[in-house]
Amino acid sequence: MEISVFSDSQTASSCFSALEKAKGFSVNYNELSELKKKGQSSPADAVIYADFSGLAQPAVKKNLAILSSLNRIFGILDAKGSYDDPALFFHAGACDYIGKALFKSGVDAARIKRVYEYGSKSLNIQQAKTSSQVKFTSPVSGNDWKKITQGKEYTFSFMYIELDDQKEIKKRFPGNALEDFTRKFHNFVEQSVSDINGKIWMWADLGGLVLVPFDGETCPAVFKGFNMMLNRRIMSFENFDYDMLFSYRIAIHIGSTVYQSRGDTGRIVSDSVNSIHHLKQNFAGAGKMYLTEEAYKFIPRGFENYFVKAGTYEGREIYRMLELL
């Protein structure tokens, strides 16, 4: 069994020294910055450990989102005992937590086997749920934009984000000031979705539709939207020099469309594009995030409790994220 450890600490290997000598185990060490790239290429039955000791909250959220999207069994290292509530990691799909005391004593093969058994059951349940419930009418778009051909139809993740209180915003920022404001918000959205390979596909006024390649197994747009809702207050002050608290609504859907480059989408006829636009415009409430039933089926393990049924719209069950702040 392969154990992949991602840590920037030179002492991380001391926790796994017994495993390095155990028969049937191989342990490799990597920098935390390599988590996304090497985590995706790790064997499907690997157990991944990421060292969160002393990490700032933004880095914790970023790397936890990566771990949740890998569809691998993973655990968290916390050699400094930095987190008072490790249950948060389990809510995001973690199968193990190695705190300060256990880090010093180290982990053995028996523990890893228990973690693997627990994680395998959880992954198998999620995979069985996905395969039995989801049927795609178009080929999945995969994870590589270079393999997506213009004029062909694919299944994508759609993420619509739009600012609330637009009338008030336009009153406050007339003329050129509104253009500058819109550009900054556009750039914020563009930067926010870049780490999930998302691209702004359509943009109008103070909101737009993000297109994210979909591999048929995970929907990182869900965790990204979750993260953006929780960070709304921080974002308002760190990314903009305006004395105001931003409010936006987010809608996420998985569906199909013919792909054309941005700027050439005027003639596209897509039920999925229409559905998410209608959901955002006619159903979604200010400052809230919604998932269609298609997107909800790919919610990261442990996140189901953060969403509740919000009703039915255009024949689909809609789920709303709970207000956590």
Side-chain angles (χ1 to χ4, degrees), residues 19-85:
L19 282 177
E20 292 179 7
K21 303 173 184 178
K23 184 178 180 181
F25 291 89
S26 64
V27 186
N28 61 74
Y29 299 94
N30 314 271
E31 294 181 358
L32 188 60
S33 61
E34 299 177 303
L35 178 59
K36 184 174 183 179
K37 181 179 179 181
K38 291 192 175 180
Q40 289 177 335
S41 61
S42 64
D45 59 350
V47 178
I48 294 174
Y49 281 92
D51 190 352
F52 282 11
S53 302
L55 282 187
Q57 194 61 25
V60 170
K61 291 181 178 180
K62 175 183 177 181
N63 287 292
L64 196 58
I66 293 172
L67 287 166
S68 297
S69 70
L70 292 177
N71 204 32
R72 301 288 193 279
I73 299 168
F74 70 89
I76 303 298
L77 300 180
D78 182 16
K80 298 179 180 179
S82 304
Y83 306 98
D84 296 329
D85 187 11

Side-chain angles (χ1 to χ4, degrees), residues 139-156 197 199 213-214 259:
V140 296
S141 46
N143 293 313
D144 190 349
W145 279 104
K146 295 180 181 179
K147 296 181 180 180
I148 297 175
T149 304
Q150 292 193 58
K152 291 189 177 182
E153 186 170 322
Y154 300 94
T155 299
F156 290 96
N197 212 10
K199 292 183 179 181
F214 177 66
Y259 176 71

